């Protein structure tokens, strides 16, 4: 006895499976693209957060710079804690003295050195000990602020609308410092900071 219903032919089953496979492929591809887009957005958000954190720290550090009345000498009636330190090294590192807080109960006057080491922007610090600020950094603690640094340039100017200089003139603290960073092939916005007076 034959049933009243007609079954699917082999061609119809193969066609249905092909359509279902295409739908599944489109769905998986869409989900993969969405996942990749989310990962890219997360990387960009992390990078922007990193830019903000580093910029904020450096701005705070420059605004808390210890500057006296002379270009590296002692202030009138001041001791070693009052001594102005602001130097650029031959390697392009920047050294200054600032009141730095490294936590709730750890901080004070420190010599701070910012420079590029390989592909990293590294911050080092040490207590002033009366020696040259250019020496004694071998055992100083350090922290990597930014990874993937392609270039790092320090420039300064002394007058509000004066030219920017990259060669250090050793005439004491400048009025403004500009840091230019290229990270992973992209330039960060220039960090222009006023040096505390």
């Amino acid at each position: 006895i034959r049933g009243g219903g007609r079954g699917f032919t082999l061609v119809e089953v193969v066609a249905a499976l092909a359509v279902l496979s295409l739908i599944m492929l489109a769905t998986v591809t869409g989900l993969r693209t969405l996942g990749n887009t989310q990962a890219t957005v997360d990387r960009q958000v992390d990078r922007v957060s990193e830019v903000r954190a580093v910029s904020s720290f450096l701005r705070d550090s420059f605004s808390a710079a210890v500057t006296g009345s002379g270009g590296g000498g002692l202030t009138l009636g001041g001791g070693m804690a009052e001594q102005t330190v602001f130097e650029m090294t031959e390697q392009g590192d920047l050294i200054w003295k600032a009141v730095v807080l490294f936590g709730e109960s750890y901080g004070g006057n420190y010599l701070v050195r910012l420079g590029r080491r390989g592909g990293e922007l590294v911050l080092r610090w040490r207590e002033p000990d009366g020696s040259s600020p250019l020496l004694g950094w071998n055992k100083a603690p350090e922290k990597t602020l930014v990874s993937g640094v392609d270039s790092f340039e320090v420039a300064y100017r002394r007058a509000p609308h004066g030219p920017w200089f990259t060669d250090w003139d050793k005439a004491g603290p400048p009025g403004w410092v500009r840091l230019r960073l290229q990270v992973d092939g992209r330039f960060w916005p220039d960090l222009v900071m006023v040096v505390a007076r």
Side-chain angles (χ1 to χ4, degrees), residues 31-46:
L31 291 174
R32 183 178 296 140
T33 302
L34 182 63
N36 290 341
T37 301
Q38 182 64 39
T40 301
V41 168
D42 287 345
R43 277 196 304 274
Q44 292 299 327
V45 168
D46 289 346

Side-chain angles (χ1 to χ4, degrees), residues 80 130 139:
M80 200 59 181
K139 295 182 181 178

Side-chain angles (χ1 to χ4, degrees), residues 62 67 86-88 94 155-159 168-169 171-177 193-197:
F62 274 90
T67 56
F86 206 98
E87 299 282 341
M88 284 174 57
L94 187 61
Y156 69 95
R157 69 180 178 195
R158 301 202 176 276
W168 181 236
D169 64 5
W176 294 263
V177 172
M193 294 159 288
V194 177
V195 178
R197 293 268 178 193

Side-chain angles (χ1 to χ4, degrees), residues 49-183:
S49 296
E50 185 179 32
V51 169
R52 286 184 180 160
V54 170
S55 299
S56 176
F57 172 78
L58 291 175
R59 286 183 199 285
D60 290 347
S61 181
F62 274 90
S63 69
V66 176
T67 56
S69 59
L74 298 179
T75 57
L76 184 61
M80 200 59 181
E82 308 283 321
Q83 181 183 8
T84 298
V85 174
F86 206 98
E87 299 282 341
M88 284 174 57
T89 69
E90 293 178 3
Q91 299 84 15
D93 291 4
L94 187 61
I95 300 173
W96 72 99
K97 184 187 285 185
V99 177
V100 181
L101 298 176
F102 292 105
E104 293 181 12
S105 60
Y106 180 57
N109 278 346
Y110 286 90
L111 291 176
V112 181
R113 182 172 183 157
L114 181 70
R116 181 178 174 212
R117 276 203 178 166
E120 297 179 332
L121 184 65
V122 176
L123 179 78
R124 291 186 278 174
W125 62 92
R126 68 177 178 88
E127 292 185 15
D129 58 6
S131 65
S132 168
L134 300 175
L135 303 175
W137 291 97
N138 293 338
K139 295 182 181 178
E142 64 181 51
K143 171 134 179 78
T144 298
L145 296 181
V146 183
S147 300
V149 176
D150 300 320
S151 67
F152 171 66
E153 176 190 285
V154 178
Y156 69 95
R157 69 180 178 195
R158 301 202 176 276
H161 300 290
W164 291 100
F165 299 103
T166 55
D167 293 327
W168 181 236
D169 64 5
K170 300 182 181 180
W176 294 263
V177 172
R178 181 186 71 198
L179 305 181
R180 184 169 285 167
L181 276 172
Q182 184 180 12
V183 181

